[in-house]
Amino acid sequence: MSDSAVNPTLSDQETTATLTNPTLVLNCGSSSIKYALISEDESTRITGLAENLGLDTARIKHNTLDGRKLEIAIAGGRHELALQKILELLEQYHFVAVGHRVVHGGREYSEAVRVNEHVLSEVKRLKVLAPLHNPANALGIEAVQAIYPEIPQVVVFDTAFHQTMPPVAFLYPLPKSLYADHKIRRYGFHGTSHAYVSERASQITDAKGPHGWLTAHLGNGCSATAVYDGKSLDTSMGLTPLEGLMMGTRSGDVDPSLHMHLKRQLGLSLEEIDKMLNNESGLLGISGLSNDLRTIEEAANEGHKDAQLAIEMFCYRVGKYLASLSCALPDFTGIVFTGGIGENSKTTRARILDVMRHFGIKFDADKNASLVGGSEGSFHSDDSSIELWVVPTDEECRIAQETRQALGIA
Ligand code: AMP
């Protein structure tokens, strides 16, 4: 361990024995790196987050195995340095594999794959479809390769779970050559989350299968998916993670002519419009306050009109999308809520279901209120037409599972 700021104590080393054959899961973003070291039996994990990368305030927040919190400053805020320090922190646990969350897998990948030269070059090439994410994901792969060339690495694509969508759902009504020659189609994202929570719901429900779930991943990024018998049949995000629901800072669906109109009327460039739709819209754009629902809910309770409108629009758009996605399901078992908002905001869940009032959905208000802070459970009434579940997502666990499967060590 080369860095003096990183100084694991004896108690960290004492507990090493409980973290058997762990898999390291890395989620390298443009300004942050989330990581989790997960034991083979999934019972134990070490987690952490490097944040503010690219800035002088960059730091790693590391949670040790025995529950202590360490903070390590990253001088200069470089991605490579942060990764190097994360690997140093975890080296003592002898991880056997590394699984990377990679945002875009294009048309080629329908499942997790072991990293080789071709896979790495594909991750880099797909920068054209995910300019913010794929280059950072590639950096993570290369950092591990440089330090531990012998440790097998696997990439788990956010898009892979949605490769089961039929053409009727994944094609845009555009000239067909755009798909054939340029792979312009709907890909869908948040795949590991939708896969994890739909599989979990199918494990815990008493309903006879095959099950048809609408999974609503509502966090800072939001998407909804129709999952039937474990397969994604349609989803709200498209070519990029901008399509679909209203999100923290992303607009979701807008008129495709908006770009042309804004360019002509306001003289905005394509780059300016792209930035506006991705970073300045959604809950932030309407509330004028924040992209964080907690802040907006507080303001709304104090009578802030735009905060109230932002919440109303958010719920209306989720409800409208869920209603339309239900058309993809041969059979509608229920809705599964997940993500920071889906797992915590009882009022958001209630408002979304109110938008879907024609569906005969009935729920127990007390049960809904009790499902916060990472608890899992159902809240539908006995006479409800469909089931309602809150399932906390665990993308890291799913990535670790898929990594072990891809390497044949499951
Ligand atoms: P995520 O991207 O999944 O971490 O979710 C982030 C979003 O979840 C933010 O909009 C948060 O405001 C929201 N969130 C987290 N906890 C709560 C809570 N207790 N009540 C309402 N929203 C929450």
Side-chain angles (χ1 to χ4, degrees):
M1 190 88 40
S2 59
D3 193 290
S4 57
V6 177
N7 187 18
T9 63
L10 266 181
S11 54
D12 238 19
Q13 288 160 3
E14 278 162 9
T15 43
T16 305
T18 59
L19 205 68
T20 327
N21 294 331
T23 298
L24 171 60
V25 176
L26 281 177
N27 180 355
C28 298
S30 52
S31 64
S32 68
I33 301 169
K34 259 175 101 174
Y35 59 92
L37 193 68
I38 302 179
S39 64
E40 192 175 33
D41 65 359
E42 295 165 14
S43 64
T44 319
R45 69 178 76 181
I46 293 173
T47 59
L49 172 73
E51 59 183 11
N52 297 345
L53 296 178
L55 304 173
D56 285 341
T57 51
R59 59 191 55 251
I60 296 174
K61 292 181 171 169
H62 180 78
N63 304 306
T64 67
L65 200 50
D66 58 1
R68 286 171 303 113
K69 294 184 187 306
L70 303 179
E71 274 207 21
I72 301 138
I74 308 295
R78 282 183 47 238
H79 259 82
E80 291 87 343
L81 187 58
L83 275 162
Q84 204 180 322
K85 294 208 175 197
I86 291 167
L87 294 172
E88 281 175 9
L89 273 167
L90 301 174
E91 192 173 47
Q92 59 180 309
Y93 299 105
H94 308 293
F95 43 91
V96 296
V98 182
H100 295 265
R101 176 194 182 196
V102 174
V103 166
H104 222 304
R107 193 165 59 170
E108 194 167 342
Y109 298 106
S110 57
E111 55 188 19
V113 285
R114 185 170 179 161
V115 173
N116 57 27
E117 259 176 53
H118 172 69
V119 171
L120 179 57
S121 72
E122 277 298 287
V123 171
K124 288 182 182 171
R125 192 182 61 76
L126 289 163
K127 172 186 170 186
V128 286
L129 292 173
L132 286 181
H133 297 97
N134 272 38
N137 301 151
L139 254 170
I141 297 170
E142 286 175 325
V144 177
Q145 253 175 4
I147 304 175
Y148 304 109
E150 74 291 354
I151 294 188
Q153 301 194 70
V154 168
V155 286
V156 181
F157 296 102
D158 247 23
T159 47
F161 181 60
H162 301 296
Q163 285 293 306
T164 47
M165 286 196 291
V168 68
F170 77 64
L171 284 174
Y172 288 112
L174 295 169
K176 193 82 184 295
S177 59
L178 283 178
Y179 170 62
D181 303 338
H182 303 287
K183 301 181 180 174
I184 306 293
R185 52 159 283 177
R186 305 183 65 250
Y187 288 97
F189 297 86
H190 289 142
T192 49
S193 179
H194 292 294
Y196 178 84
V197 301
S198 57
E199 191 175 304
R200 182 78 195 128
S202 282
Q203 283 163 0
I204 52 187
T205 180
D206 288 332
K208 297 255 178 303
H211 302 122
W213 300 111
L214 292 183
T215 50
H217 177 108
L218 308 177
N220 201 30
C222 300
S223 67
T225 296
V227 184
Y228 185 70
D229 201 12
K231 294 188 173 57
S232 168
L233 295 186
D234 199 357
T235 192
S236 60
M237 283 178 167
L239 175 71
T240 75
L242 183 59
E243 187 179 333
L245 306 178
M246 175 173 168
M247 313 182 206
T249 61
R250 280 172 263 176
S251 61
D253 289 353
V254 291
D255 186 328
S257 290
L258 183 72
H259 287 73
M260 183 63 94
H261 185 78
L262 292 177
K263 186 171 182 296
R264 283 191 185 136
Q265 296 297 310
L266 304 180
L268 295 182
S269 68
L270 284 178
E271 287 69 29
E272 285 169 326
I273 299 166
D274 196 48
K275 183 166 170 274
M276 183 187 82
L277 295 177
N278 276 289
N279 304 333
E280 298 156 15
S281 300
L283 288 170
L284 172 67
I286 297 296
S287 72
L289 291 175
S290 171
N291 61 325
D292 192 304
L293 187 73
R294 281 166 292 198
T295 310
I296 301 171
E297 280 184 344
E298 264 176 47
N301 290 338
E302 286 160 13
H304 192 292
K305 291 277 180 277
D306 285 341
Q308 289 167 355
L309 178 62
I311 292 172
E312 218 173 307
M313 279 179 66
F314 180 86
C315 297
Y316 177 66
R317 286 184 164 236
V318 176
K320 194 166 84 161
Y321 241 105
L322 289 175
S324 67
L325 280 173
S326 71
C327 301
L329 294 175
D331 199 18
F332 192 1
T333 310
I335 301 173
V336 187
F337 291 93
T338 195
I341 296 172
E343 292 168 29
N344 290 294
S345 179
K346 62 176 193 291
T347 47
T348 304
R349 291 191 297 252
R351 275 170 180 261
I352 292 168
L353 296 172
D354 190 43
V355 172
M356 301 177 76
R357 59 194 172 283
H358 310 297
F359 280 70
I361 301 170
K362 307 258 172 58
F363 67 90
D364 181 318
D366 291 337
K367 276 195 203 159
N368 181 33
S370 72
L371 291 167
V372 289
S375 48
E376 174 184 272
S378 64
F379 62 104
H380 51 275
S381 315
D382 290 344
D383 57 345
S384 177
S385 58
I386 57 160
E387 298 191 353
L388 302 169
W389 289 88
V390 173
V391 176
T393 195
D394 193 344
E395 291 171 275
E396 287 78 19
C397 180
R398 176 83 190 189
I399 292 170
Q401 286 167 356
E402 291 195 23
T403 298
R404 292 195 302 269
Q405 269 161 21
L407 295 173
I409 54 174

